[in-house]
Amino acid sequence: MSDTLILAIESSCDETAAAVVKNGREVLSNIISSQIDIHTLYGGVVPEIASRKHIERINQVVRLALSRADVTLDDIDAIGVTYGPGLVGALLVGVAEAKAIAFAKNLPLIGVHHIEGHISANYIENKDLEPPFACLVVSGGHTHLVIVRDYGVYEIIGRTRDDAAGEAFDKVARAIGLGYPGGPKIDKVSRQGNAQAIAFPRAKVEGNEYDFSFSGLKSAVLNYLNGCAMKGIQVNQADVAASFQKAVTDVLVSHSMEAVERYHFTKFAIAGGVSANSALRGAMEEACAKRGVAFYRPSPILCTDNAAMIGAAAYYDYIRGYRSDYSLNAIPNLKLGER
Ligand code: KG4
Ligand code: ZN
């Protein structure tokens, strides 16, 4: 069978990204142009600025992805692109670019769900990983516990009722003065802190033992900070960060392992920006090892937004014959498993 090369494009939030992926698992190039420096000035992602920057950069990023892979558009078999969920204006830039290339070169077009991309990042470095497996997806916008029944076939068994895990990291980072982007900063400063210093709550959610809630934890951190301010107590930033991170990690690990035991999963993966978190990776690895469960996680660079993961997901759609047409549009609240 000849090789299949996918050119993938991702622009759902604040990274303009393009990649060339061979046979779904081999990354020939993975270009990520981050807008973090610009959005840092505003303390978070400004959607209008994100869209404008995507427009400025997308052509160069695609060109660079092709040249780094040492290929031209004539070598490409299909175009994969994130069409949701995400910021509508940001998504539109990638979708328009993908449609234009597909039309100009008469190539198949494949719309990819962003979260499906995150999950598929696990296929890239774990060549042996095949469905079925369970996956915890933790990003800035999502916290999902998912059963991956087959390629492209998902069942969500748990989700957050309020804030996503990444959102909680970002909000708490802002509250303790670390700024944006919060997750990586909390991860770093926590190494100097005592995770047992402050007893923050571990929320249990009524109705579904696999659902998550992080807004109570975020409020507990804010209350703690206000309490310290009122009493004139100096806050130890590293202790707050480490204690918060431990509370999030404990909940993510305990819910995941309850699901692993209940459903008898032998393979467990993590995905999404928060899965780059060193404490979460360590705790999950240990919990899986204790239960004899194979643990999979992408390298940190493939956990946060990138186009290689979109190329991996698009490949499995491509070989199953799934195609989008030129009516493909950005869908900001696209559900996992929905077409
Ligand atoms: O997957 P992602 O890049 O974008 C979305 O799809 O949302 O995830 C971004 C989220 C942000 O909330 C960011 O703070 C968080 O992932 N994040 C982390 C780490 N790196 C990124 N959270 C905790 N620890 C990290 N090392
Ligand atoms: Zn993402």
Side-chain angles (χ1 to χ4, degrees):
M1 207 174 83
S2 65
D3 289 332
T4 299
L5 293 191
I6 307 268
L7 170 65
I9 297 172
E10 152 66 42
S11 68
S12 66
C13 191
D14 60 344
E15 325 279 0
T16 317
V20 177
V21 178
K22 185 163 129 185
N23 301 330
R25 303 219 178 203
E26 191 183 335
V27 179
L28 302 189
S29 64
N30 187 26
I31 309 299
I32 306 167
S33 172
S34 176
Q35 305 176 3
I36 280 179
D37 291 352
I38 304 156
H39 298 290
T40 297
L41 303 173
Y42 305 94
V45 178
V46 183
E48 182 56 29
I49 295 176
S51 316
R52 285 164 191 260
K53 290 293 157 195
H54 284 312
I55 291 172
E56 282 172 20
R57 295 175 181 181
I58 190 96
N59 282 329
Q60 289 142 275
V61 167
V62 167
R63 245 183 245 127
L64 194 55
L66 292 167
S67 67
R68 287 270 171 85
D70 203 17
V71 298
T72 71
L73 283 175
D74 294 331
D75 302 308
I76 298 295
D77 295 289
I79 313 287
V81 63
T82 307
Y83 72 112
L87 302 169
V88 67
L91 288 164
L92 275 171
V93 178
V95 169
E97 177 85 0
K99 286 203 275 193
I101 298 172
F103 180 72
K105 301 301 288 185
N106 196 23
L107 288 170
L109 175 69
I110 299 163
V112 175
H113 191 288
H114 182 74
I115 297 302
E116 183 165 5
H118 274 304
I119 294 170
S120 304
N122 279 288
Y123 298 135
I124 293 168
E125 290 157 318
N126 304 299
K127 310 289 182 211
D128 61 321
L129 178 62
E130 304 260 7
F133 60 93
C135 185
L136 174 74
V137 187
V138 271
S139 71
H142 294 82
T143 305
H144 283 353
L145 198 46
V146 181
I147 303 176
V148 183
R149 297 254 178 236
D150 199 350
Y151 293 105
V153 183
Y154 307 98
E155 186 186 332
I156 302 171
I157 58 169
R159 66 183 82 222
T160 182
R161 299 273 180 96
D162 39 58
D163 292 351
E167 202 179 341
F169 267 95
D170 295 335
K171 287 176 177 169
V172 166
R174 197 173 305 143
I176 61 175
L178 285 172
Y180 172 86
K185 292 193 171 168
I186 289 192
D187 193 347
K188 192 162 171 224
V189 72
S190 290
R191 289 176 202 148
Q192 270 81 53
N194 172 8
Q196 317 300 334
I198 308 144
F200 289 131
R202 274 79 170 147
K204 275 267 172 202
V205 178
E206 295 275 311
N208 181 355
E209 63 203 287
Y210 307 122
D211 276 355
F212 303 92
S213 167
F214 295 107
S215 70
L217 170 60
K218 176 192 66 192
S219 302
V221 174
L222 296 178
N223 288 342
Y224 173 81
L225 297 174
N226 286 338
C228 289
M230 275 176 358
K231 290 179 216 144
I233 300 170
Q234 174 86 26
V235 171
N236 183 323
Q237 197 185 45
D239 282 354
V240 178
S243 302
F244 160 78
Q245 181 173 272
K246 180 82 170 77
V248 175
T249 305
D250 280 356
V251 170
L252 293 174
V253 172
S254 68
H255 283 37
S256 300
M257 291 305 116
E258 274 165 34
V260 159
E261 286 171 8
R262 167 80 63 86
Y263 289 87
H264 307 292
F265 292 120
T266 55
K267 293 181 269 184
F268 185 81
I270 55 175
V274 180
S275 69
N277 184 268
S278 54
L280 178 64
R281 292 163 85 85
M284 214 52 112
E285 181 162 25
E286 197 185 316
C288 284
K290 211 192 260 176
R291 291 164 179 82
V293 171
F295 175 59
Y296 301 88
R297 77 272 183 283
S299 290
I301 190 67
L302 293 175
C303 289
T304 46
D305 289 350
N306 66 86
M309 68 185 196
I310 303 302
Y315 170 77
Y316 289 100
D317 281 340
Y318 177 79
I319 58 173
R320 289 198 326 272
Y322 171 75
R323 305 286 184 267
S324 303
D325 61 28
Y326 295 128
S327 69
L328 184 72
N329 203 355
I331 304 183
N333 53 0
L334 185 68
K335 304 274 177 298
L336 186 64
E338 204 174 77
R339 290 286 188 199

